[in-house]
Amino acid sequence: GAQLFWLEKRFPDRFEAADTIITYPQFWAFRLTGVRASEVTQLGCHTDLWRSAEKDYSSLVDRRRWRKKFAPLRSAFDCLGPLKPEIRAAMAGEGEVPVFCGIHDSNASLLPHLMSREGTFTVVSTGTWAILFAVGTESRPLDRDRDTLANVDAFGRPVPSARFMAGREFTEMAGGEPGEASREAAEAVIAKGVMALPSFASGTGPFPDREGTWTHDPESILQSERTAAASLTIALTTETCLGLIGASGPIIVEGPFARNVVYCDALAGLTGMAVEAKPGLTGTAAGAALLALGPSGGPRKVRQKPHETVRKPLRGLDAYAAEWRWQVSGDMPDTGERVGRAR
């Protein structure tokens, strides 16, 4: 919405002359097929263009009189048509190649779970960004100033969501060659009270106004401990986001952080929820492929049992977490042991 408003103000004549506004994945579908479409997962992903509860365009769209410019709404599952003949002719093989409408990338990661699970669960899709989806939970007020919003899933339903720059934060905290996080290093960090306090990617996530700091000089500690401290902070930030969106378990972690045992074990200990690590799942590609099966396709839905991964508690984590929260927000719980703070 902000981008369109800027374009309208900066290039009024060209904006007025434009006959169609197309959402980004559907731009590529248009280039491949010549068919113009808009789609709700892209409209609903922090764009200020869509009212998820009402399933309609926002007041901004109507105030600016943009509605007539948007391409027709189509389902992510719709086949828009075959590849253009000139594109197909340049490829090997025979027969038409269908092109589907397409979907917002994070919602593509969510789709395999929506099509295979029942009940409440949470998906944490990790990478440069961590995107959290709380599925099946009751609606609640969301704080836009802390990077929470209602995404819209492939079926047009609002899903409470949160995000923060997990990958970038981790790199800033752990350094360019972090190595693997170990439980031994994590328990050493907890015992010493070594903490990384967000945000190291300013203006994003649940602590957008904080400047990232350490309780100890990170250059003075072992690399393994620095990596462990960074992993604990990402887990604590994830827990904060889960609380903001009212998430329930089990928690499915996808992407690079699914390989981080300290992160997954800490997240399980902090939340009391089962944490399923899916390091090999390429959720975006899997979700995009599922579009070809249609909204009723895919695996049969089942109420899945949490993956039987035994996660051992990290010694001292509860007190460490209480102190970390106090350091970050000044909101110290009434109970719980304080761990030592280095200034």
Side-chain angles (χ1 to χ4, degrees), residues 99-110:
V99 178
F100 291 82
C101 185
I103 187 170
H104 173 238
D105 55 357
S106 296
N107 273 284
S109 295
L110 177 63

Side-chain angles (χ1 to χ4, degrees), residues 40-310:
V40 293
T41 64
Q42 191 69 24
L43 287 169
C45 65
H46 49 80
T47 65
D48 296 324
L49 296 173
W50 190 255
R51 291 178 292 162
S52 57
E54 293 83 358
K55 298 184 178 181
D56 196 7
Y57 286 105
S58 69
S59 58
L60 171 65
V61 171
D62 287 331
R63 286 201 309 270
R64 304 310 306 171
R65 299 180 181 177
W66 295 341
R67 185 183 287 255
K68 65 181 183 297
K69 286 184 175 289
F70 275 94
L73 278 170
R74 300 286 295 269
S75 166
F77 297 96
D78 282 356
C79 178
L80 298 186
L83 279 175
K84 291 178 178 178
E86 62 271 25
I87 298 175
R88 184 65 186 92
M91 300 168 60
E94 298 179 357
E96 293 184 341
V97 176
V99 178
F100 291 82
C101 185
I103 187 170
H104 173 238
D105 55 357
S106 296
N107 273 284
S109 295
L110 177 63
L111 186 57
H113 304 290
L114 294 176
M115 298 183 76
S116 63
R117 292 176 181 261
E118 292 181 335
T120 60
F121 59 90
T122 301
V123 175
V124 181
S125 179
T126 66
T128 301
W129 287 93
I131 311 294
L132 291 73
F133 294 96
V135 178
T137 60
E138 294 183 4
S139 60
R140 61 187 297 163
L142 298 171
D143 188 347
R144 66 179 181 181
D145 293 329
R146 302 189 73 183
D147 247 351
T148 66
L149 70 149
N151 266 286
V152 180
D153 71 18
F155 302 95
R157 303 170 301 198
V159 182
S161 307
R163 65 176 190 164
F164 70 102
M165 296 196 81
R168 183 174 294 180
E169 292 255 339
F170 182 82
T171 299
E172 289 290 330
M173 292 183 286
E177 297 182 6
E180 296 292 328
S182 71
R183 288 178 54 86
E184 294 76 16
E187 291 186 343
V189 162
I190 291 170
K192 296 174 184 178
V194 176
M195 298 179 184
L197 307 171
S199 288
F200 291 83
S202 61
T204 64
F207 309 109
D209 299 325
R210 286 199 86 263
E211 182 178 350
T213 57
W214 285 81
T215 59
H216 295 61
D217 179 3
E219 302 298 332
S220 69
I221 61 177
L222 296 172
Q223 179 60 58
S224 60
E225 294 181 357
R226 181 171 174 173
T227 299
S231 303
L232 291 169
T233 290
I234 297 300
L236 283 155
T237 306
T238 302
E239 182 213 16
T240 301
C241 292
L242 293 170
L244 290 172
I245 60 177
S248 298
I251 301 169
I252 303 99
V253 179
E254 298 180 356
F257 283 92
R259 296 189 292 271
N260 186 319
V261 65
V262 170
Y263 171 80
C264 292
D265 286 357
L267 189 58
L270 291 166
T271 63
M273 302 178 194
V275 173
E276 303 177 28
K278 305 287 188 181
L281 184 63
T282 53
T284 303
L290 281 173
L291 296 179
L293 298 179
S296 59
R300 181 176 61 87
K301 279 194 175 184
V302 294
R303 186 174 292 275
Q304 297 190 9
K305 294 181 179 179
H307 184 64
E308 297 298 328
T309 298
V310 177

